Amino acid sequence: MKTGYLIFLQIIFLVITGCKKESDVNKDSLPVFDMEATIGRQVPDTFMWNSIAKKITYVPLSTSPDALFGSAQLIHIDKDFYCMVDQKTGSIFYSNKKGKIIHSFSKKGQGPGEYAWLTYVSMSLKDSTISVFDQKSEKYIVYDLRGNFVKETMLKEKGLNTVHLVSDDFAVAKGRDVGDYRLCVTDKDLNIRENLFPMDTTLTEMERFCMIWQLNYSRNRDMFIANFANEDTIFSVTAKGAEPVCVLKKGKYTLPEEEAKKPMDITSSPYIRSMWLSSVLDYYLITYLFENQIYDEVWSAKDNRIVSRLLCENGEWGFPLCLPSGKKVLLNTRMLYVNGNIVASFIDASTAAEGGIAGVDEDDNPVLVVMEL
C-alpha cells in the first residue's frame, strides 16, 4: 500500500514538473521586450501616427445650441454612424459619418437605471444594446440604442469589481478582493465563464485587493491586453481565455510580489507600475509610472525593439499626429479607441482650426480623428 502511494506521488510530481517545463518553454519562446535594458537610455521620439496610417479621416461634429459637448470619446464605429460619450455632461450620443449629431441621451443620477460616471461604455449591434459600467456606483447598466433602460446589475452580486472590456459575446472584469482570482471572463450578463490568474488563498483581504489592482489598463476593444506589475508575461484575453503573447522584461524594475501586496506608495518608486498597455497593429503602446515620472513608449512587435519614448510633461500625453497645416498634436494613449486596424481619438476645435481642418471654428465641438492602419 505504501509503495503504491509513493508511486502515485512520483507520477503526480512528474506531471507537475512536465507542466512547468512546458510553461517555461512557452514563455522562453515568446517575443521579449527588454524594458530593463532601455530604462534611462536615450531613445529618439521619432514615432508619428502619420507614418503608419494608410488613411486619416477628420470628422468635425456638428455644433448647435442643443448639441454642445465639452469632451468626447469614441466607443463604437459602424458603417453608418459613430457612437461617442461626453464625460463632462455624462451623455452618450451618435453622429452620422459626416459628424451630424443624430441622437443623444443622458441618464446621469443616483437612482435605478442611472449612472454617476461613465467609466466604460460599449455598444453591441448584435443585441441592439448600450452597456455602461459605473465604477463609482459599482453598477453595470444596459440600455437599448435609444437610451431606454433595460436592466441593471450590481457587480458585487456577480463577485466582480471593475469591467475592463465588453464585447458582443463576452466580457472581461477584475475579480473581487474576497475571491481567489484576479481576472474573469464572463458572458454579456457578467456571469463568470472562466476564472484567470489564481491568487494565494492565504492572502489577507487587503493583500488580495492590492494584487488585483496591479493589473494594467488597455484601450483595445476586440481583446484585453493583460499584464501585472509584479510579472513579465503579457496576455491577450478573449472569449477563449488568456493566451501569452510576449514578455515585458522589466528585470530589477519589476515590482516584487511582497510590494505588490501593499497599498501603492505615492513616493518615488524604483519599480515600473500604474501601466496602460494596448496592442496597435504591429506595435505595443505602453504608458507607465517610474520614479514619479510618466512615460509613453512604442515598441515594435516585428523586431521587439523600442521605437519611441516620450516623457509626459505639462499634462501632455501620447504620440504626435501631424495635422494638414503641419501643426503637431499629441493623441492621448489612454483615450484611444483601438479595434483591429482602426485607431481613433479626438482633438479640440481650436487645435483643429489651427491645424487646417476645413469647416471648424475654435468654439465648435471636438473633431473626431479616425486612422486606418
Side-chain angles (χ1 to χ4, degrees), residues 181-198:
Y181 297 88
R182 289 179 285 178
L183 203 63
C184 307
V185 176
T186 77
D187 61 19
K188 280 290 295 293
D189 293 323
L190 301 188
N191 299 306
I192 297 175
R193 288 179 180 171
E194 183 177 359
N195 291 306
L196 305 173
F197 309 113

Side-chain angles (χ1 to χ4, degrees), residues 88-368:
K88 290 187 177 180
T89 62
S91 301
I92 298 170
F93 60 99
Y94 310 90
S95 82
N96 63 19
K97 283 307 182 80
K98 293 183 178 181
K100 179 178 174 57
I101 306 300
I102 53 180
H103 181 65
S104 68
F105 68 91
S106 175
K107 302 295 181 179
K108 198 168 183 178
Q110 303 294 328
E114 297 177 332
Y115 46 79
W117 184 255
L118 295 169
T119 309
Y120 182 90
V121 184
S122 177
M123 168 183 275
S124 173
L125 294 184
K126 185 177 181 180
D127 56 8
S128 301
T129 59
I130 294 278
S131 301
V132 170
F133 165 58
D134 175 9
Q135 178 75 61
K136 186 174 181 179
S137 304
E138 288 197 285
K139 288 181 178 181
Y140 177 74
I141 311 171
V142 178
Y143 306 97
D144 66 21
L145 297 184
R146 301 297 297 178
N148 298 306
F149 173 70
V150 176
K151 58 185 175 181
E152 176 180 289
T153 302
M154 302 303 294
L155 266 71
K156 189 174 183 179
E157 297 173 0
K158 298 293 185 177
L160 302 171
N161 194 300
T162 302
V163 175
H164 283 281
L165 172 69
V166 179
S167 189
D168 278 344
D169 56 357
F170 75 101
V172 179
K174 279 191 180 84
R176 294 195 77 82
D177 47 291
V178 294
D180 297 330
Y181 297 88
R182 289 179 285 178
L183 203 63
C184 307
V185 176
T186 77
D187 61 19
K188 280 290 295 293
D189 293 323
L190 301 188
N191 299 306
I192 297 175
R193 288 179 180 171
E194 183 177 359
N195 291 306
L196 305 173
F197 309 113
M199 291 188 293
D200 183 352
T201 55
T202 65
L203 295 176
T204 66
E205 187 172 321
M206 176 56 72
E207 288 173 335
R208 289 166 187 258
F209 174 83
C210 294
M211 292 287 285
I212 289 171
W213 282 94
Q214 297 298 337
L215 177 68
N216 67 271
Y217 289 85
S218 172
R219 300 311 307 170
N220 291 80
R221 288 273 171 170
D222 50 348
M223 59 182 166
F224 181 73
I225 305 298
N227 174 255
F228 292 90
N230 61 310
E231 298 175 5
D232 284 354
T233 306
I234 295 175
F235 296 85
S236 67
V237 182
T238 65
K240 298 179 181 179
E243 179 181 355
V245 291
C246 62
V247 173
L248 203 58
K249 183 183 175 185
K250 293 171 275 191
K252 64 182 180 182
Y253 306 112
T254 302
L255 183 70
E257 185 165 331
E258 287 305 310
E259 290 294 319
K261 297 176 184 178
K262 303 175 184 177
M264 183 172 171
D265 195 339
I266 61 173
T267 59
S268 179
S269 170
Y271 308 114
I272 294 172
R273 57 199 311 170
S274 298
M275 184 176 287
W276 289 75
L277 177 60
S278 303
S279 175
V280 177
L281 200 60
D282 295 323
Y283 300 92
Y284 282 89
L285 307 182
I286 305 173
T287 302
Y288 61 90
L289 177 66
F290 176 66
E291 294 186 339
N292 279 356
Q293 299 283 351
I294 297 176
Y295 297 90
D296 272 320
E297 294 181 353
V298 178
W299 286 76
S300 170
K302 287 184 175 180
D303 52 16
N304 309 333
R305 67 181 179 87
I306 187 169
V307 174
S308 190
R309 174 190 290 139
L310 289 174
L311 173 62
C312 301
E313 298 177 297
N314 303 319
E316 296 182 338
W317 305 73
F319 292 97
L321 171 74
C322 186
L323 301 178
S325 69
K327 178 182 175 63
K328 292 181 181 179
V329 60
L330 297 180
L331 300 184
N332 191 333
T333 51
R334 300 186 303 169
M335 300 294 289
L336 296 176
Y337 169 93
V338 182
N339 197 341
N341 71 324
I342 301 296
V343 176
S345 186
F346 279 89
I347 56 176
D348 62 80
S350 60
T351 299
E354 292 176 12
I357 297 175
V360 180
D361 293 325
E362 61 179 19
D363 294 326
D364 285 348
N365 277 326
V367 174
L368 175 63

